[in-house]
Amino acid sequence: MKYFQVCLLSIFLVIGVSGCRGKVNIEDVTLSMILGIDVNDQNKVEVYMASPVFSGQTKVKTEHFNVQTLSIKESRNYFDSKASGVTAGGKIQAILIGSKVLEHKNWFSILDMFFRDPKFRLNADIIFVDGPLSSVYNLKAQDKPELPIYIPQLLQTADFRNVAFRTTARKIHQMYYEKGITPFAPELAVEDNHLVVHGTTLLTNNNLYNRTLSLKETQMLKILKDHIEGQLVVALDLKKFKSDDDDVFTDEEVSFYIKDVKRKIEKKYSNGRYSFIVNLTLPIMITESPIGLTNHSETVLKNEIEKKLQKQLNNLVHSFQKDKVDPVGFGILAHSFQYSDWKKNENHWFDTYQKSNLKVKVKIIVVDKGISM
């Protein structure tokens, strides 16, 4: 028995010692946290990287690099010729895509390595940048954390307030190969030496830039997709309740929390034409009201909110049709509805989509109207 215990202890010691032999000190590794891809003024592809510096002897806590190359994998060779440690890409938090990249229809090919390398983090956020990436990587914001912390926190906050979508590398890959939806991702810009979330960048079915949704339009898209995270506050101006001629402080604003989205979609295909009716039931909590709320006036206000919100949602959906972009994913609904009909239309879906009958109906349920004074 004693002999067996000694052998077992020896085995554990050998395993423990062998595990320590391959250790790598964090000071000897350059962790690629924020990766960027852009096209410069000479029409050359540049790859950017931001990495934290793990040293108490330096004042600068993040080092930035950029190199010219068409290969993400090859860029690590160039980064290692400049960095103090071996570059590791398994901890990437976000991939920034410059606006000039979206002018080239084959830009997605440079991301191929991310989906083939099993060490790559497919939960990394894809972010489109309005302008050159140099403006982001050269940012010197005195009252903000370093880029590897700043960008993920900014995006997380925007997603919580539902003014941005968090689009991962895995998600953009799915949208790229899915014929029934057009890709989208959050848009970032530099304003007054600060990073600002502008809204959502929409791409065409050829993966070129189409348009940028504002923060409010992004909220509307989140409602349409039933994709609410955190808290969603909507503010509407209702002209019906305007009471005076003050052009600054008007008595027409109503705001409310949307607690949940209950979505039911009626689908129909007839004579080569699709019809989608999106029925949305929205329980809300009123936080600001242009009128005092009684049982009667609450009903009046609820009806006005329904009409206004329904109009905005329908306008947004019809603008998508006009631009031949489908971020809602009506094409996915089409092939899940009747696959045989979808097969007839999948190769020219966006022409079919543009001719489809799309309608949004909104039903508001007031669950809380606040305290009436």
Side-chain angles (χ1 to χ4, degrees):
M1 183 66 180
K2 186 175 181 181
Y3 175 76
F4 175 75
Q5 290 176 339
V6 170
C7 289
L8 191 62
L9 180 61
S10 299
I11 292 171
F12 283 136
L13 286 173
V14 170
I15 293 173
V17 171
S18 63
C20 296
R21 292 177 62 187
K23 71 173 183 178
V24 178
N25 294 323
I26 196 169
E27 295 87 351
D28 300 327
V29 178
T30 299
L31 293 177
S32 177
M33 301 289 280
I34 306 293
L35 199 71
I37 303 166
D38 204 358
V39 175
N40 62 22
D41 294 336
Q42 288 74 44
N43 223 29
K44 300 292 183 181
V45 176
E46 290 188 329
V47 180
Y48 289 76
M49 182 182 72
S51 171
V53 178
F54 300 101
S55 174
Q57 300 176 357
T58 60
K59 292 183 179 180
V60 178
K61 297 303 179 183
T62 304
E63 52 184 354
H64 299 163
F65 307 99
N66 71 293
V67 297
Q68 284 188 15
T69 178
L70 271 172
S71 167
I72 299 293
K73 199 69 173 178
E74 185 186 39
S75 68
R76 293 171 66 175
N77 297 334
Y78 299 121
F79 290 145
D80 284 348
S81 69
K82 301 178 180 182
S84 56
V86 177
T87 302
K91 301 296 182 182
I92 292 177
Q93 301 297 301
I95 303 168
L96 308 185
I97 309 292
S99 56
K100 290 191 72 173
V101 172
L102 302 182
E103 298 174 4
H104 303 270
K105 63 181 181 180
N106 294 325
W107 70 268
F108 196 81
S109 62
I110 199 172
L111 302 182
D112 185 65
M113 184 275 293
F114 298 136
F115 309 112
R116 295 184 185 275
D117 189 344
K119 294 180 181 179
F120 179 72
R121 184 174 175 269
L122 287 178
N123 283 337
D125 291 302
I126 300 291
I127 304 171
F128 297 125
V129 176
D130 182 13
L133 289 194
S134 57
S135 64
V136 176
Y137 282 86
N138 295 333
L139 187 66
K140 305 294 183 184
Q142 301 298 322
D143 57 344
K144 299 294 181 183
E146 301 293 333
L147 278 186
I149 298 174
Y150 186 13
I151 291 177
Q153 284 185 346
L154 180 64
L155 199 58
Q156 182 179 358
T157 303
D159 182 55
F160 179 78
R161 290 299 182 191
N162 290 287
V163 293
F165 281 89
R166 294 198 77 165
T167 304
T168 63
R170 179 184 284 109
K171 185 65 177 177
I172 203 81
H173 183 268
Q174 291 172 347
M175 290 191 288
Y176 179 81
Y177 286 103
E178 171 58 63
K179 293 182 179 180
I181 193 171
T182 47
F184 57 87
E187 183 176 301
L188 209 61
V190 177
E191 293 181 0
D192 299 325
N193 209 36
H194 286 84
L195 289 177
V196 179
V197 175
H198 264 187
T200 303
T201 295
L202 301 185
L203 303 184
T204 66
N205 62 319
N206 293 321
N207 297 296
L208 300 175
Y209 176 82
N210 173 259
R211 63 190 269 201
T212 298
L213 297 182
S214 67
L215 300 183
K216 191 152 193 137
E217 287 173 325
T218 299
Q219 288 185 323
M220 297 296 111
L221 179 58
K222 283 211 164 197
I223 294 172
L224 286 168
K225 291 179 70 67
D226 187 8
H227 189 89
I228 292 180
E229 303 286 343
Q231 296 180 347
L232 174 55
V233 180
V234 176
L236 301 173
D237 58 313
L238 304 177
K239 301 295 184 184
K240 178 174 180 175
F241 301 111
K242 188 172 181 179
S243 58
D244 54 47
D245 298 326
D246 193 326
D247 59 348
V248 177
F249 297 101
T250 57
D251 263 344
E252 57 189 59
E253 198 80 9
V254 61
S255 67
F256 48 89
Y257 283 110
I258 295 181
K259 302 288 290 180
D260 190 17
V261 175
K262 296 179 181 178
R263 188 178 75 162
K264 184 178 180 181
I265 300 178
E266 300 173 28
K267 302 174 284 286
K268 185 179 178 182
Y269 183 74
S270 178
N271 299 322
R273 187 177 181 184
Y274 281 97
S275 176
F276 298 96
I277 300 177
V278 183
N279 296 289
L280 299 172
T281 302
L282 309 175
I284 68 169
M285 293 174 57
I286 296 175
T287 52
E288 291 175 296
S289 172
I291 56 174
L293 293 178
T294 61
N295 290 338
H296 172 71
S297 61
E298 177 187 318
T299 303
V300 174
L301 180 63
K302 178 181 78 71
N303 292 338
E304 289 300 313
I305 292 173
E306 283 181 350
K307 287 193 292 184
K308 183 76 173 186
L309 196 57
Q310 185 168 291
K311 181 180 179 181
Q312 289 186 352
L313 290 168
N314 277 290
N315 288 343
L316 184 62
V317 166
H318 295 152
S319 72
F320 292 157
Q321 277 187 290
K322 183 180 178 182
D323 289 349
K324 287 188 177 183
V325 293
D326 184 13
V328 179
F330 286 106
I332 296 175
L333 295 170
H335 69 63
S336 65
F337 169 52
Q338 286 185 348
Y339 189 70
S340 58
D341 292 327
W342 164 256
K343 291 299 289 182
K344 301 173 188 176
N345 293 282
E346 65 173 337
N347 293 325
H348 51 88
W349 162 243
F350 291 97
D351 292 325
T352 305
Y353 165 69
Q354 200 170 36
K355 299 173 185 175
S356 299
N357 178 35
L358 303 182
K359 189 173 183 180
V360 181
K361 294 182 179 179
V362 176
K363 180 181 179 182
I364 295 293
I365 301 174
V366 179
V367 296
D368 191 341
K369 60 184 177 183
I371 300 173
S372 298
M373 302 300 289

